[in-house]
Amino acid sequence: MSGGTRNTRQFFESSSSGGGGRTSIDEGRGVRDGGGGRVAATRGSGVNTGILDEHVLSLVFRSINWDPQAVCTAACVSRRMRAVAERVLWRELCISRAPRMVASLAGAAAGGAAPPSGRIVGGWPALAKMLFFCCGAAGPGVPGHFTRMSRFSKTSGRSFLSRRCRSDLLYVSDPCEHAVAGAGDDLGAYRGVFRGFMRSRTRACLVGRQAALDPRVRCPYCGVRVWSMVAAGMVPRTAWRRLGCLEGRLEYYVCVSGHLHGNCWLARLTSSEGEHDGGSGSDSDASTQGGSDDDGHVAL
C-alpha cells in the first residue's frame, strides 16, 4: 500500500466512528440491513447502480452541502464506494466548498470560468483533506483534527515565497492555534498548496540548490516525500512576520506534489501591539474578508 493511500485511509477513518443500525454493502451480492434481510441486489453487475450511482450520490451529498465527514464515512463503506468517492465525490466537494480557490489552482481564467472536471496535481482526495484537516505537529505532540472553518489566502502565500519565486501562486491557511502543555506560547499549524508546482520557480530553486528531501517527514495529505524549506534556506522573513512568530521558531515543508504544511510558535502580543495591528489598513486586513477574490474560504 502506498503512503498516499494509507494517509488518505487514515483521513477517511478519522470521521467514521458511530453507532446505530448498521447497513452493510456486500459487494457483488447485494445490500443487507443489520438483521440480515436483503434490501436490494446488484448480483453479477459491474455497473454502479442504486446508491452506488454517481449521480444519485452527488444529489445526496449536495443536499447536505457536501459535508466532508459524511463523504469520509461513505468512502469507508466498501471498495466500490471508495472508488466512487475518489473518482467523483472529493472533486465535487472541493469545487462546491472552495470554487474560486479550486478554479485558480486549476488554472481557470480570472473571469470565473468553471473548474475542470479532470485531475489536479496531488489528487482530489489530498486536496479535500488539505482543505478540511489540520495536520497538527508531530514534534510537540499536537494531533491532527478536522477544522470547523479555514481561510486560505494568496496574500498569505506570497509571504512564504522568496523574491525570485514571487511569480508562483501559493494558497496558505491562517494558523490553527493549539495550546501545548508546558509551553509558554501557543503553537500554530498551517497548510497550503501551490498551483502548477512542477513548473514553479520554487521547485526550480529547490532543484537548482540540490536540496535534499527530508528522510523523516512525509506529506500528511498525499504521503509523498518533502523538502524542508528551512534546511533549504528558502524561508523569507516575511513568513515570520505574517504568522506573528519569533524568528527561528518556524518550520515548514513542501512536498513533491506541491502541498505545504508547517508549524510555528506564535508570539504573544502585548495590548499596545494588538491595538496597533487592529488599526492598520494593511493588505493582511483586507485579505481576511471571506468575499475577497484573493481568498478561498471553506467551512464545515
Side-chain angles (χ1 to χ4, degrees), residues 176-197:
C176 182
E177 298 184 18
H178 304 83
V180 179
D185 298 323
D186 289 340
L187 183 135
Y190 50 91
R191 59 205 192 273
V193 60
F194 281 84
R195 180 177 70 183
F197 183 67

Side-chain angles (χ1 to χ4, degrees), residues 77-285:
V77 170
S78 69
R79 289 192 297 271
R80 284 189 179 181
M81 189 71 85
R82 182 186 294 273
V84 173
E86 292 183 354
R87 186 170 61 251
V88 177
L89 300 183
W90 293 120
R91 181 190 73 213
E92 295 301 321
L93 181 149
C94 294
I95 293 172
S96 174
R97 288 304 199 87
R100 290 196 301 270
M101 178 177 171
V102 172
S104 182
L105 291 173
S117 59
R119 297 178 180 274
I120 196 166
V121 175
W124 292 105
L127 180 61
K129 181 175 181 180
M130 194 275 303
L131 289 175
F132 292 100
F133 190 79
C134 168
C135 64
V142 176
H145 60 91
F146 272 94
T147 57
R148 298 298 305 172
M149 183 175 295
S150 297
R151 189 184 69 90
F152 292 82
S153 171
K154 291 186 289 188
T155 303
S156 294
R158 282 194 290 271
S159 301
F160 284 76
L161 300 171
S162 60
R163 288 186 179 181
R164 67 174 61 184
C165 300
R166 289 289 170 86
S167 60
D168 292 346
L169 176 61
L170 170 65
Y171 278 94
V172 173
S173 72
D174 290 339
C176 182
E177 298 184 18
H178 304 83
V180 179
D185 298 323
D186 289 340
L187 183 135
Y190 50 91
R191 59 205 192 273
V193 60
F194 281 84
R195 180 177 70 183
F197 183 67
M198 294 299 292
R199 301 183 302 275
S200 67
R201 292 286 302 166
T202 299
R203 183 182 182 278
C205 288
L206 287 166
V207 173
R209 295 184 181 205
Q210 298 182 336
L213 293 167
D214 193 291
R216 301 168 294 106
V217 181
R218 293 272 178 167
C219 176
Y221 300 110
C222 65
V224 300
R225 299 185 69 182
V226 301
W227 284 284
S228 168
M229 302 301 281
V230 172
M234 293 182 61
V235 181
R237 292 180 181 273
T238 50
W240 290 312
R241 291 197 294 267
R242 184 74 180 188
L243 291 169
C245 68
L246 300 175
E247 187 170 342
R249 304 191 71 189
L250 172 151
E251 178 65 278
Y252 78 92
Y253 303 89
V254 175
C255 80
V256 298
S257 297
H259 301 122
L260 176 151
H261 77 281
N263 59 79
C264 63
W265 291 98
L266 301 171
R268 296 184 182 276
L269 296 178
T270 65
S271 57
S272 60
E273 288 174 328
E275 292 171 0
H276 174 74
D277 290 344
S280 67
S282 67
D283 184 48
S284 173
D285 292 334

Side-chain angles (χ1 to χ4, degrees), residues 51 53 271:
I51 192 60
D53 183 272
S271 57

